[in-house]
Amino acid sequence: MTYIILILSVLLSATLVLLFNLKDTLLKLLLAFSGAYLLSITILHLLPDVYQSDNNYIGLFILLGILIQLFLEFFSKGAEHGHIHKELLEKSFPWMLFISLCIHAFFEGFPLAKTQNNILLGAIIIHNMPISAVLATFLLKSKLSKLKSFLFILIFALMSPLGYLFSGNFDFFETYKVPVTAIVVGIFLHISTIILFESSADHKFNFKKFIVIGLGFLVALSSL
C-alpha cells in the first residue's frame, strides 16, 4: 500500500497540473505548507530517532546530507523547492535536472522502512506533490509529447518507492540505517529551510503563506 500511495500522489499532482494548469500562487502555497510540515516532522521525529543511537557521528552524517543536497542542486537548479528557471524552458530536456530530482526522491524513501512509517510517509507525499507539480509544469511548457511527459513523471514517481524497497530488502541499509537516515535528515533540513526562507518574494511578509506555514506546523504537531 505504501508503494501505491507514493506513486499515486506524484501521478495525481502531475495530472492536476497537466489538466488544469494550476496557478503559480496555489503551487507556492502548497510548497510553503510542505516545507513547514517536512521541517516539523524532521525535528519532531527523525532527529530524535537518529540521536537515540550509539553512533557518535550523527552530526557529521547530517552535514553530509546537506552537502549532498547542495551538490544535487547544482544540477536541479532548485526544483526541489519549487524553482524551474525560465532559461531551462528554452533548452532541450535538462537530463541532469531530472536525474538529480530522481536521486533526491530515491533518498527520501530510505527511512520509510525504519521509522514511524505513516508520519514520514505523509511528509514525503506532501513534499513530493509540489515537486511533481513543478516538474509537470516544465513538461507542459516543453515540446515533449504527452507520452514522453507521462513516462518522465512515472519514472520520478517510482523513485521514492524504490528507495523504500532498497532500504527494506538489502542488508547494507539495515546495517547502516542510522547513518543513512541521518543523511536524509540533512537533506530534509536543507530542503525545508530553503523553502521557508524563500517563501516570500524579496523577503516581504506574506500573510497567506504565513498562515499556510503555521498550518503545516500544526498538522505536524498533531502527530505527537
Side-chain angles (χ1 to χ4, degrees), residues 5 8 158 177 180 195 197 199-202 213 220:
I5 292 173
L8 288 181
L158 292 172
K177 63 181 179 181
V180 169
I195 288 173
F197 289 150
S199 62
S200 298
D202 301 321
I213 290 170

Side-chain angles (χ1 to χ4, degrees), residues 4 39 92 146 149 170 199 202:
I4 295 173
L39 178 62
S92 58
K146 291 184 178 179
S149 298
F170 287 86
S199 62
D202 301 321

Side-chain angles (χ1 to χ4, degrees), residues 95-153:
W95 284 101
M96 293 308 299
L97 180 150
F98 179 72
I99 292 171
S100 65
L101 284 179
C102 288
I103 294 172
H104 170 78
F106 183 73
F107 271 113
E108 283 184 335
F110 282 169
L112 279 172
K114 312 300 179 188
T115 57
Q116 302 178 58
N117 193 299
N118 291 334
I119 295 171
L120 183 57
L121 177 62
I124 292 174
I125 289 172
I126 292 173
H127 174 55
N128 276 344
M129 287 174 66
I131 296 178
S132 307
V134 168
L135 183 59
T137 300
F138 168 76
L139 294 171
L140 189 66
K141 295 178 181 179
S142 71
K143 297 179 180 179
L144 292 174
S145 66
K146 291 184 178 179
L147 177 60
K148 288 183 178 179
S149 298
F150 174 77
L151 289 175
F152 281 121
I153 292 293

Side-chain angles (χ1 to χ4, degrees), residues 14-203:
T15 300
L16 288 174
V17 171
L18 293 173
L19 289 179
F20 301 107
N21 196 12
L22 301 180
K23 294 181 179 179
D24 288 343
T25 303
L26 181 59
L27 293 178
K28 288 179 180 179
L29 290 176
L30 178 59
L31 192 68
F33 178 86
S34 75
Y37 185 81
L38 186 64
L39 178 62
S40 301
I41 293 301
T42 301
I43 292 174
L44 295 173
H45 296 284
L46 294 183
L47 270 175
D49 284 349
V50 294
Y51 273 107
Q52 284 177 359
S53 72
D54 297 328
N55 194 310
N56 295 321
Y57 300 100
I58 293 300
L60 292 178
F61 287 113
I62 291 174
L63 291 175
L64 178 59
I66 294 173
L67 289 175
I68 288 173
Q69 184 56 43
L70 282 170
F71 178 75
L72 290 176
E73 289 185 9
F74 279 114
F75 304 103
S76 68
K77 308 303 180 184
E80 297 93 335
H81 37 88
H83 291 166
I84 287 287
H85 295 280
K86 292 181 179 180
E87 60 266 24
L88 292 176
L89 299 175
E90 300 171 359
K91 301 178 181 179
S92 58
F93 189 81
W95 284 101
M96 293 308 299
L97 180 150
F98 179 72
I99 292 171
S100 65
L101 284 179
C102 288
I103 294 172
H104 170 78
F106 183 73
F107 271 113
E108 283 184 335
F110 282 169
L112 279 172
K114 312 300 179 188
T115 57
Q116 302 178 58
N117 193 299
N118 291 334
I119 295 171
L120 183 57
L121 177 62
I124 292 174
I125 289 172
I126 292 173
H127 174 55
N128 276 344
M129 287 174 66
I131 296 178
S132 307
V134 168
L135 183 59
T137 300
F138 168 76
L139 294 171
L140 189 66
K141 295 178 181 179
S142 71
K143 297 179 180 179
L144 292 174
S145 66
K146 291 184 178 179
L147 177 60
K148 288 183 178 179
S149 298
F150 174 77
L151 289 175
F152 281 121
I153 292 293
L154 180 60
I155 291 171
F156 176 73
L158 292 172
M159 289 300 104
S160 289
L162 280 176
Y164 177 40
L165 177 66
F166 271 60
S167 65
N169 294 280
F170 287 86
D171 292 338
F172 173 85
F173 297 108
E174 177 63 34
T175 303
Y176 298 103
K177 63 181 179 181
V178 173
V180 169
T181 302
I183 290 172
V184 176
V185 166
I187 292 173
F188 283 173
L189 284 174
H190 176 78
I191 289 293
S192 57
T193 51
I194 290 296
I195 288 173
L196 296 186
F197 289 150
E198 296 183 350
S199 62
S200 298
D202 301 321
H203 302 285

